[in-house]
Amino acid sequence: FIHRVEFRNCKLLGTDFSRSRLQNVRFSDCLGDYSMFRFANFKQVGFEDCSLISADLYHLTLQKTFFNRCNLDQAVLSGSKLKGIDLSDCEFDGLQVDIEDLNGCIISPHQASSFVGLLGLVIK
């Protein structure tokens, strides 16, 4: 259980937070590439200006969670319900996510092209 903690300018490469419970936690300017949060429970957790390239965010429980200006390229978000999660100012070329988990997720028009393949559509 991690409660009321702020990680600032931390190098969290490959850190394993799997099955943890994070409440009132903020990550600012952190390098969290390849970090693992698999099956974690997030309540009031924020990521700002973080690199989470290839992070494992599989099957998260998300309550009042935000990602601001983060690099989520190739992150695994499968099984994590993203309803109400705003990824519009995040950077990614691809995410591993299930189409049903995207319901209600907020993205930018530019990011929408990343999800076209999941829908089986072809852009001409």
Side-chain angles (χ1 to χ4, degrees):
F1 184 64
I2 301 172
H3 183 61
R4 293 184 182 164
V5 175
E6 183 171 359
F7 293 91
R8 236 188 250 175
N9 297 314
C10 293
K11 193 173 191 177
L12 301 169
L13 287 167
T15 303
D16 190 353
F17 291 97
S18 296
R19 299 189 185 280
S20 61
R21 196 169 113 199
L22 287 79
Q23 185 172 339
N24 296 314
V25 176
R26 174 174 252 134
F27 295 86
S28 299
D29 297 303
C30 292
L31 181 58
D33 298 350
Y34 306 102
S35 57
M36 293 172 280
F37 293 90
R38 186 171 275 250
F39 297 106
N41 187 333
F42 285 7
K43 185 174 184 181
Q44 296 178 327
V45 175
F47 293 87
E48 290 182 316
D49 302 306
C50 293
S51 180
L52 296 167
I53 296 171
S54 295
D56 187 347
L57 304 163
Y58 177 78
H59 213 282
L60 299 180
T61 301
L62 302 169
Q63 295 178 15
K64 297 181 181 178
T65 299
F66 65 87
F67 296 89
N68 291 340
R69 299 172 306 280
C70 293
N71 187 339
L72 294 167
D73 196 34
Q74 301 306 316
V76 177
L77 287 159
S78 297
S80 300
K81 302 294 181 197
L82 300 174
K83 185 174 185 172
I85 302 296
D86 188 346
L87 301 178
S88 63
D89 65 355
C90 292
E91 181 182 331
F92 56 85
D93 288 325
L95 293 175
Q96 292 182 36
V97 64
D98 298 326
I99 191 72
E100 59 271 6
D101 296 331
L102 288 172
N103 186 28
C105 183
I106 303 162
I107 59 171
S108 71
H110 171 71
Q111 293 166 333
S113 62
S114 297
F115 299 109
V116 167
L118 288 173
L119 298 172
L121 299 174
V122 177
I123 298 176
K124 184 175 179 181

